[in-house]
């Protein structure tokens, strides 16, 4: 059977999941939209502080393992009739606009991101929404886009992507006449050269690609054939991110890199820590963008983004991880897109030899000692998404197997066993000194000390120190961050953060049984099979506790009511090629 991405695409619809049917289905009419809604309902100790912290550090470390691996969230879809002001999280498009009339050309759209992309080289910036993905997509576009409402992957720069052997061989057809902004053709050889460059530069996801794709061939100027070592039905997800952002051959001249792509915009002004400005590309294959310019700025976190949206200084605001700000924006009626990063809030345990977490009993004791609902109450006044499972209830990948349960008595017992064998009970715990994270840190410290741990809370205020100590030197026992599992790329998220050989495995967890389950997930032929494997992964996770998730992380991309045509894709990247602004 031959599957076509141009007309038959990967589905994660509620129907396919319930029926356990194939992961592909033919479109017939408008996609059905899915709504997931979740209602959610300690003592202090000593701490020491390291420096002064800015919200920019949250952008780097609040994504936790994502910083080192795949920046971790949810690309879920749904719709609502304008749900406002409650403690519920509804994923998908909300406060949707009616018919906006004829698109208007001109103007500069200002987008408040979490952190400005430091480079436009896809090998140096992970393609994730709010932290560089939009900048890359503006210049390069993507071969394949992800429909967040249906869970389908659809051709964008590509004309089609098909498999005729259930996912072991994929054939990509390119659109006719697509050119890079330097006037050269985006052909099959350019695609292969760009992907080879990406893998050589160890771009995000390169490890999984190299482990999975045995060869790429240009069968003609418009066709690339990808040969995999095993079937992989979610392979298109890789072409929706960094691998699918094709860099022109002219971009690299010796050590000098110039951002040349076939996207809707070209690079304009870059003022580090201030703004990035992109200019419309009149030769864009989809037609010249309506916007004259796209401007990205990084403010001081989600509350500042909300306030700037309210004052009219921002046209689009990324409001990440602060439920009170998300609910305020919803109540104000702003249109936009809500996303949930699965296991976006977690306690990362250093599993390496010589660390307390090398003893599975210590890891288990940490897991049993944590009460996600109490932590959420302290950090988010009970408005967040607490949970110890890898994929929360808003996720299509949520399974009936629960996460590790709060059980302080069992935690005490396990810790006592470890102490009897010589462990002194001390943990060095790194947390960012930002109000929400600090509150989480205090709650976690209190819960762990209640079962017998002695926790040294280290408040880190410098993103560089976090990177060096946690990600480079691995000099920590416990760190508050996030595992970060996106809806569109569960294979990549689990492989990057958990596989024994992955350089992005910040926890240092190594378990052959888990490696095999992650491989089984990659090879799952349909959603039902994938869910069965995820259930086994959750069971083994509960037994071995690589790290301890404490909740999902919600984000809201909100825009002014005169902004139209913003389209979300994989990992919460917003696409602006069809965006335009009407009169205020």
């Amino acid at each position: 059977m031959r599957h076509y991405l141009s007309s038959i695409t990967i589905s994660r619809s509620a129907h396919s999941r319930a029926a356990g049917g194939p992961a592909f289905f033919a479109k017939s009419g408008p996609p059905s939209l899915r709504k997931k809604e979740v209602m959610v309902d300690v003592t202090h100790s000593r701490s020491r502080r390291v420096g002064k912290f800015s919200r920019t550090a949250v952008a780097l470390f609040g994504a936790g393992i994502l910083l080192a691996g795949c920046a971790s969230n949810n690309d879920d879809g749904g719709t609502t009739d304008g749900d406002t002001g409650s403690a519920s999280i509804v994923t998908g498009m909300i406060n949707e606009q009616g018919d906006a009339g004829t698109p208007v050309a001109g103007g500069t759209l200002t987008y408040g991101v979490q952190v400005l992309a430091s480079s436009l080289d896809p090998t140096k910036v992970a393609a994730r929404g709010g932290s560089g993905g939009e900048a890359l997509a503006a210049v390069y576009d993507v071969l394949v886009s992800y429909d967040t409402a249906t869970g389908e992957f659809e051709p964008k720069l590509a004309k089609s992507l098909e498999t005729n052997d259930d996912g072991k061989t994929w054939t990509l057809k390119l659109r006719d006449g697509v050119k890079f902004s330097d006037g050269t053709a985006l052909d099959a050889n350019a695609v292969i050269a760009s992907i080879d460059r990406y893998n050589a530069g160890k771009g995000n996801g390169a490890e999984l690609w190299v482990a999975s794709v045995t060869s790429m061939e240009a069968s003609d100027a418009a066709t690339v054939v990808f040969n995999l070592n095993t079937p992989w039905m979610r392979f298109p997800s890789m072409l929706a991110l960094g691998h699918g952002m094709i860099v022109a051959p002219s971009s690299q001249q010796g050590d000098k890199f110039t951002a040349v792509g076939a996207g809707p915009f070209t690079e304009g002004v870059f003022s580090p820590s201030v703004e990035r400005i992109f200019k419309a590309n009149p030769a864009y294959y989809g037609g010249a963008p309506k916007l004259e310019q796209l401007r990205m700025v990084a403010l001081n976190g989600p509350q500042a983004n909300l306030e700037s949206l309210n004052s009219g200084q921002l046209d689009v605001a990324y409001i990440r991880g602060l439920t009170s700000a998300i609910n305020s924006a919803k109540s104000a009626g702003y249109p936009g897109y809500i996303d949930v990063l699965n296991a976006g809030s977690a306690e990362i345990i250093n599993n390496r030899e010589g660390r307390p977490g090398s003893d599975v009993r210590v890891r288990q004791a940490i897991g049993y000692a944590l009460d996600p609902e109490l932590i959420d109450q302290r950090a988010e006044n009970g408005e967040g998404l607490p949970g110890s499972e890898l994929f929360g209830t808003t996720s299509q990948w949520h399974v009936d197997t629960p996460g590790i349960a709060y059980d302080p008595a069992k935690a005490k017992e396990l810790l006592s066993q470890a102490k009897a064998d010589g462990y002194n009970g001390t943990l060095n715990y790194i947390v960012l000194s930002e109000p929400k994270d600090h509150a989480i840190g205090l709650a976690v410290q209190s819960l762990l000390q209640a079962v017998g741990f002695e926790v040294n809370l280290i408040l880190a205020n410098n993103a560089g120190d976090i990177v060096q100590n946690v990600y480079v030197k691995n000099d920590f026992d416990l760190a508050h961050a996030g595992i970060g599992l996106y809806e569109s790329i569960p294979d990549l998220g689990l492989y990057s953060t958990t596989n024994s050989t992955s350089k992005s495995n910040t926890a240092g967890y190594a378990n052959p049984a888990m490696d095999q389950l992650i491989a089984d997930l990659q090879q799952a032929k349909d959603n039902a099979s994938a869910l069965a494997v995820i259930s086994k992964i959750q069971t083994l996770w509960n037994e071995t506790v690589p790290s301890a998730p404490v909740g999902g992380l919600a984000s809201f991309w909100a825009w002014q009511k005169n902004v139209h045509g913003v389209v979300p894709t994989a990992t919460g990247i917003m696409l602006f090629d069809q965006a335009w602004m009407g009169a205020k």
Side-chain angles (χ1 to χ4, degrees), residues 494-557:
L494 286 167
Y495 180 94
S496 296
T497 60
T498 312
N499 182 274
S500 300
T501 63
S502 171
K503 292 181 175 61
S504 301
N505 182 345
T506 305
Y509 173 78
N511 187 320
M514 185 67 81
D515 293 345
Q516 184 58 56
L517 285 174
I518 293 171
D520 293 345
L521 174 63
Q522 185 180 359
Q523 296 169 38
K525 63 182 180 179
D526 53 34
N527 284 5
S529 300
L531 288 165
V533 176
I534 289 172
S535 182
K536 294 178 181 179
I537 289 173
Q538 184 69 70
T539 297
L540 183 58
W541 191 285
N542 295 346
E543 294 169 356
T544 59
V545 195
S547 289
V550 294
L553 191 70
S555 293
F556 184 18
W557 285 260

Side-chain angles (χ1 to χ4, degrees), residues 275-288:
E275 65 181 4
R276 270 196 181 276
I277 297 177
F278 301 88
K279 301 177 294 184
N281 176 11
Y284 179 55
Y285 83 91

Side-chain angles (χ1 to χ4, degrees), residues 84-422:
T84 60
S86 72
S88 63
I89 297 295
V90 181
T91 59
M93 303 296 289
I94 71 163
N95 297 327
E96 293 190 81
Q97 299 143 294
D99 183 9
T102 304
V104 176
T108 296
L109 183 147
T110 300
Y111 170 32
V113 299
Q114 185 183 21
V115 63
L116 286 175
S118 59
S119 170
L120 293 179
D121 182 346
T123 69
K124 301 183 184 305
V125 176
R128 301 295 182 264
S131 59
E134 286 90 351
L136 297 176
V139 172
Y140 305 107
D141 210 338
V142 285
L143 288 172
V144 171
S145 64
Y146 179 73
D147 186 328
T148 61
T150 65
E152 301 167 3
F153 289 92
E154 301 176 341
K156 200 167 187 301
L157 270 179
K159 181 165 65 176
S160 67
L161 179 63
E162 65 183 54
T163 181
N164 59 5
D165 59 1
D166 295 325
K168 192 173 181 181
T169 305
W170 291 86
T171 301
L172 176 81
K173 291 284 188 181
L174 294 168
R175 294 179 182 272
D176 298 330
V178 176
K179 294 185 181 298
F180 294 109
S181 59
D182 66 358
T184 59
L186 194 161
D187 59 14
N189 286 329
V191 170
I192 292 174
S194 179
I195 293 175
D196 280 341
R197 176 186 181 277
Y198 188 87
N199 289 331
K202 299 180 180 179
N204 184 262
E207 284 183 305
L208 181 56
W209 182 285
V210 171
S212 306
V213 181
T214 58
S215 66
M216 297 180 286
E217 303 166 1
S219 58
D220 59 47
T223 307
V224 181
V225 179
F226 301 97
N227 299 300
L228 282 60
N229 52 22
T230 58
W232 186 9
M233 295 307 284
R234 285 179 301 281
F235 170 72
S237 65
M238 301 295 280
L239 299 179
L241 298 171
H243 285 92
M245 295 174 170
I246 305 304
V247 173
S250 65
S251 289
Q252 196 74 53
Q253 299 294 330
D255 293 334
K256 182 182 179 182
F257 178 81
T258 304
V260 180
F265 297 90
T266 59
E267 183 177 14
V269 175
F270 175 43
S271 299
S273 302
V274 178
E275 65 181 4
R276 270 196 181 276
I277 297 177
F278 301 88
K279 301 177 294 184
N281 176 11
Y284 179 55
Y285 83 91
K290 294 291 187 276
L291 298 175
E292 182 180 349
Q293 292 187 133
L294 174 62
R295 175 175 176 253
M296 298 180 189
V297 298
L299 302 179
N300 194 32
Q303 186 62 39
N305 275 352
L306 173 61
E307 291 168 1
S308 294
L309 186 70
N310 287 337
S311 68
Q313 296 178 70
L314 292 180
D315 299 299
V316 180
Y318 178 39
I319 305 171
R320 180 184 187 272
L322 188 61
T323 306
S324 59
I326 290 172
N327 283 337
S328 292
K330 288 167 58 181
S331 296
Y334 288 113
Y337 174 69
I338 290 184
D339 192 21
V340 172
L341 179 59
N342 298 297
S345 181
E347 307 311 317
I348 309 305
I349 305 170
N350 194 339
N351 289 227
R352 294 172 178 83
E353 195 65 36
R355 295 287 175 173
S358 64
D359 186 334
V360 67
R361 296 170 300 181
V362 173
R363 301 199 304 270
Q364 291 169 336
I366 291 171
Y368 285 120
L370 298 181
D371 181 352
E373 291 194 8
L374 176 64
I375 294 168
D376 176 60
Q377 189 65 46
R378 179 66 65 85
E380 290 263 48
N381 295 317
E383 294 183 336
L385 293 170
S388 61
E389 66 271 36
L390 292 168
F391 294 93
T393 52
T394 61
S395 174
Q396 64 164 325
W397 305 116
H398 179 70
V399 294
D400 292 336
T401 304
I404 192 167
Y406 173 53
D407 190 336
K410 189 173 290 187
K412 288 179 181 179
E413 178 185 350
L414 288 161
L415 181 56
S416 294
Q417 293 174 13
K419 285 182 175 180
D421 289 338

Side-chain angles (χ1 to χ4, degrees), residues 35-94:
K35 177 166 69 176
K36 288 272 193 174
E37 185 168 338
V38 182
M39 300 295 295
V40 294
D41 310 316
V42 204
T43 62
H44 292 64
S45 186
R46 71 184 187 282
S47 65
R48 60 188 174 94
R49 179 179 299 274
V50 183
K52 173 74 176 162
F53 172 74
S54 73
R55 189 72 193 185
T56 301
V58 175
L60 295 174
F61 188 68
I65 288 183
L66 304 177
L67 176 65
C70 67
S72 62
N73 246 250
N74 169 302
D75 304 305
D76 205 345
T79 184
T80 175
D81 295 325
D83 176 86
T84 60
S86 72
S88 63
I89 297 295
V90 181
T91 59
M93 303 296 289
I94 71 163

